[in-house]
Amino acid sequence: MQKTLHRVPFSCRGSWISFFRKNPGLSGGHPAAPLSLRVIAGVLWERAEILDLDLEREGRALAWCEELAPEILRLREIGGPGLVSIAFQDPETVRLRAENVTLRLDVQEGDISPTGSASWRLKGGSHGWLVVRAAEGALEKGRFAERHALWLRGESVPAELVVHRTTAGSSAPEPRGTLSDCAAARRAEIDRWRTVAAKQVPREFADLAAREAANLWNITVSPLGCFRRESTLVSKGTLVGLWSWDHCWHSLGTAGLDDKLSWGNFLAPFDHQDASGALPDVFCANQVYWGNVKPPVHGWMLGLLETRHDWFGESHRARIYEPIARLTRFWLRERDNDGDGLPNYLRATDSGWDNATLFDSGSSLATPDLATWLVLQQEWLARAAAKLGRDDEAAVWTAGARNLLRLLLERFWTGERFVARQNGTQEEIRSDSLLLRIPLLLGDRLPEAARRWCLDGLLDPARYLAPWGLRSEPADSPKFNPDGYWRGAVWPVTNFIFVEALRANGLAAEADQLRLGYLRHLAATGNHENYHGLDGRGLRDAGIAWTSTCALALLHPAPALEG
């Protein structure tokens, strides 16, 4: 599958610089958009394009194409000898080399000031600067189409420049080795991850595992600003932050690649946990967003980390126990707005399923999925407390989980189906959204009739099951929209959740049917945020992390979480 820069940005592990053809004003990229050097160390939705790249000869624009590999980007003249090669020397430093061609870099906003001979500084987003200097050959400043521009003149002899991102400095480092040496070093880093990811994977999925590992390497960033530890971004294309449930899958998906990174991914939002115990909705390098929250999947995910990865031990459990306890108390105390013992969402976006049909009649709902996550989270806290020798707390969490499970069944299970409840009025809210079937994760804690309802239609191609996974709204629903985000599209994360839910109910063959169907489609189609509910084509951001992390987690199935 050909990688192109309107699908997957070119970057490297640790870097806040990426090259991408951003679709202006919309999610994802566009093949007709300019190729831009971007600095994504800003705020969400900030314009990140700093320099647009183009090829010239004797002042005339050239036709060219891109050749993208994870370690090197080449811009090659069509029908001519011109070539620009781009590689990362280190996460903050990029090398660009022009041969038989001139590379023009158009400054998108603001001024550009000299910092020495053939060296200039320009604003690099809201969190720093870029220093651009010649390493070899001629680098000239001028104006193009009423904007500042730089020309790297490589038509007669090769020319090379260095671009360096800095928080406040005004100098760029000296080149180390050749550009090819830089690309080889990055290739070695990627290959180490690829090799680890492909271990014990069936031959059918070896290439998929290697591809997903390379994507995660590409979208990991170094500590900067609100990121206090190395972390995996949601994307280096459009979604240049970290949401407070995506990070759980980032942790699980990188757990077999780099245990320090995996643990950093899990802890990253907890660096911003507030006094009430809440986590932010999302944070970027330069801003933390508190308008929403995300569902408490954290205890469930910790259980999966414990059972799948030997590196997770007593120190990890002790480190995260109290933050998870505080997060749980936030939901139980601060989000039970009518005092009925059942926490509620204030907004649909708090659920993670932003526009699911369940919320069509109002967003402030108590829902069975939220209660399910909190039952599982209290059960994890009870197990963790017992292992940490905190027996009294273990008993409290065990009682809390049992009481919440009782309320879940009393209030949300009608005897025929699961429903949600309007906060305050207790009005019954019905929907065909897949979200109402998440209690299936509870396995035999549910009555048999409730389990049967959750499974009804789940694997029916006319309803929820597409060959590539589960539709977020069934195809026979009057509200079904195959490209409707959470109203019919297929999501990697819901495939992962329901593979685990099927296995928790002893349905291993059915879980494998869902798991393998999704993995085969992903291998053939490529990464996307979600997939069309009828034809399976990829939709929106193509470099998103949890598509990769879900794939790696599903390639290594493990025993179901203990009950």
Side-chain angles (χ1 to χ4, degrees):
M1 181 178 309
Q2 184 181 12
K3 289 185 176 180
T4 55
L5 287 165
H6 70 282
R7 288 175 47 82
V8 180
F10 175 65
S11 186
C12 85
R13 181 178 181 175
S15 184
W16 290 92
I17 298 171
S18 72
F19 293 81
F20 189 53
R21 295 183 183 274
K22 173 72 172 65
N23 191 353
L26 297 172
S27 177
H30 193 282
L35 172 58
S36 303
L37 184 155
R38 309 169 75 233
V39 176
I40 54 176
V43 300
L44 201 60
W45 318 126
E46 174 179 282
R47 180 171 181 177
E49 292 73 39
I50 309 299
L51 296 166
D52 283 357
L53 282 62
D54 213 343
L55 274 58
E56 293 183 351
R57 181 175 296 112
E58 298 177 349
R60 292 181 293 104
L62 300 177
W64 52 274
C65 62
E66 63 206 40
E67 299 172 358
L68 176 61
E71 73 278 6
I72 191 167
L73 169 61
R74 294 183 177 93
L75 313 181
R76 191 179 298 277
E77 180 187 0
I78 297 173
L83 176 67
V84 171
S85 302
I86 305 172
F88 281 82
Q89 177 171 298
D90 58 54
E92 304 288 14
T93 310
V94 189
R95 304 267 292 272
L96 299 92
R97 184 174 182 82
E99 301 173 81
N100 301 305
V101 74
T102 289
L103 171 64
R104 192 185 75 243
L105 302 105
D106 301 333
V107 179
Q108 292 306 292
E109 289 185 3
D111 203 354
I112 180 168
S113 57
T115 62
S117 177
S119 179
W120 285 269
R121 181 169 67 175
L122 63 155
K123 199 72 176 80
S126 61
H127 209 300
W129 298 83
L130 285 182
V131 178
V132 182
R133 76 174 183 87
E136 179 184 342
L139 180 63
E140 302 171 1
K141 176 181 177 290
R143 295 186 72 84
F144 179 84
E146 301 183 356
R147 288 179 174 168
H148 294 288
L150 295 168
W151 283 264
L152 181 66
R153 304 288 187 186
E155 294 181 27
S156 55
V157 294
E160 188 169 320
L161 63 80
V162 174
V163 178
H164 180 67
R165 197 202 71 82
T166 177
T167 303
S170 60
S171 62
E174 292 294 325
R176 297 193 307 271
T178 66
L179 187 144
S180 295
D181 293 335
C182 295
R186 303 292 81 74
R187 176 67 180 235
E189 294 174 13
I190 298 164
D191 283 348
R192 284 194 289 272
W193 273 31
R194 284 169 161 166
T195 300
V196 171
K199 278 184 180 178
Q200 299 177 347
V201 169
R203 184 184 300 271
E204 176 186 3
F205 295 120
D207 289 345
L208 173 62
R211 187 185 79 195
E212 303 312 322
N215 186 49
L216 293 173
W217 176 90
N218 183 59
I219 55 179
T220 293
V221 292
S222 298
L224 178 71
C226 300
F227 281 83
R228 299 175 187 171
R229 57 189 79 234
E230 186 181 37
S231 305
T232 305
L233 288 181
V234 169
S235 165
K236 285 186 179 178
T238 304
L239 304 171
V240 293
L242 185 56
W243 275 257
S244 291
W245 70 320
D246 295 64
H247 77 104
C248 290
W249 279 274
H250 296 190
S251 180
L252 187 64
T254 57
L257 299 171
D258 184 322
D259 56 352
K260 183 178 178 182
L261 172 62
S262 169
W263 190 230
N265 277 330
F266 196 91
L267 292 176
F270 288 93
D271 291 331
H272 303 287
Q273 190 170 28
D274 75 0
S276 74
L279 297 179
D281 178 31
V282 57
F283 62 99
C284 305
N286 217 19
Q287 191 167 2
V288 180
Y289 295 78
W290 287 100
N292 305 300
V293 293
K294 284 294 173 279
V297 300
H298 305 77
W300 176 66
M301 189 59 69
L302 284 167
L304 296 177
L305 279 170
E306 281 182 321
T307 57
R308 293 179 179 212
H309 297 284
D310 292 341
W311 58 258
F312 189 101
E314 197 75 0
S315 63
H316 301 89
R317 190 175 297 112
R319 167 65 179 83
I320 199 61
Y321 172 81
E322 188 54 38
I324 295 294
R326 291 174 57 209
L327 176 63
T328 307
R329 287 192 287 267
F330 160 77
W331 281 100
L332 296 175
R333 296 174 181 175
E334 304 295 331
R335 287 301 174 92
D336 181 10
N337 297 107
D338 57 8
D340 66 353
L342 287 169
N344 57 274
Y345 295 126
L346 294 183
R347 298 178 176 177
T349 45
D350 291 349
S351 73
W353 296 50
D354 301 1
N355 67 335
T357 60
L358 180 62
F359 300 101
D360 283 357
S361 60
S363 295
S364 185
L365 300 183
T367 64
D369 69 288
L370 177 54
T372 296
W373 295 128
L374 287 167
V375 167
L376 294 169
Q377 190 146 291
Q378 290 184 91
E379 289 178 346
W380 182 85
L381 283 164
R383 295 195 301 273
K387 291 175 181 177
L388 293 170
R390 303 165 80 156
D391 293 343
D392 289 348
E393 293 176 38
V396 170
W397 293 120
T398 297
R402 289 174 178 168
N403 183 58
L404 188 55
L405 176 62
R406 176 184 61 79
L407 289 172
L408 185 160
L409 294 173
E410 286 179 0
R411 302 300 307 284
F412 298 135
W413 176 246
T414 68
E416 297 177 349
R417 58 165 297 147
F418 278 112
V419 298
R421 298 282 176 184
Q422 191 73 46
N423 182 46
T425 69
Q426 305 304 314
E427 177 188 353
E428 182 181 292
I429 306 297
R430 298 191 174 208
S431 167
D432 290 325
S433 174
L434 187 62
L435 186 60
L436 282 175
R437 296 171 191 258
I438 279 181
L440 191 63
L441 280 167
L442 295 169
D444 60 9
R445 303 171 189 80
L446 296 181
E448 183 59 31
R451 295 167 72 184
R452 283 199 305 271
W453 181 84
C454 288
L455 290 166
D456 182 39
L458 196 67
L459 300 179
D460 182 353
R463 300 201 69 210
Y464 292 98
L465 183 64
W468 45 93
L470 294 175
R471 303 176 180 104
S472 45
E473 182 82 8
D476 61 351
S477 165
K479 296 183 177 182
F480 173 69
N481 180 349
D483 183 10
Y485 220 54
W486 294 100
R487 303 174 76 88
V490 172
W491 288 75
V493 67
T494 52
N495 285 339
F496 179 86
I497 290 169
F498 279 91
V499 165
E500 291 300 310
L502 289 166
R503 293 175 61 248
N505 286 271
L507 299 171
E510 291 82 354
D512 259 4
Q513 176 190 356
L514 177 58
R515 181 177 74 92
L516 294 173
Y518 166 64
L519 290 172
R520 287 169 179 147
H521 186 76
L522 178 61
T525 306
N527 289 42
H528 282 87
E529 185 178 2
N530 51 64
Y531 297 85
H532 195 276
L534 291 179
D535 62 28
R537 70 180 184 272
L539 303 171
R540 297 173 184 83
D541 201 318
I544 200 163
W546 74 8
T547 306
S548 295
T549 56
C550 286
L552 292 178
L554 289 170
L555 282 167
H556 299 278
L561 180 62
E562 59 186 281

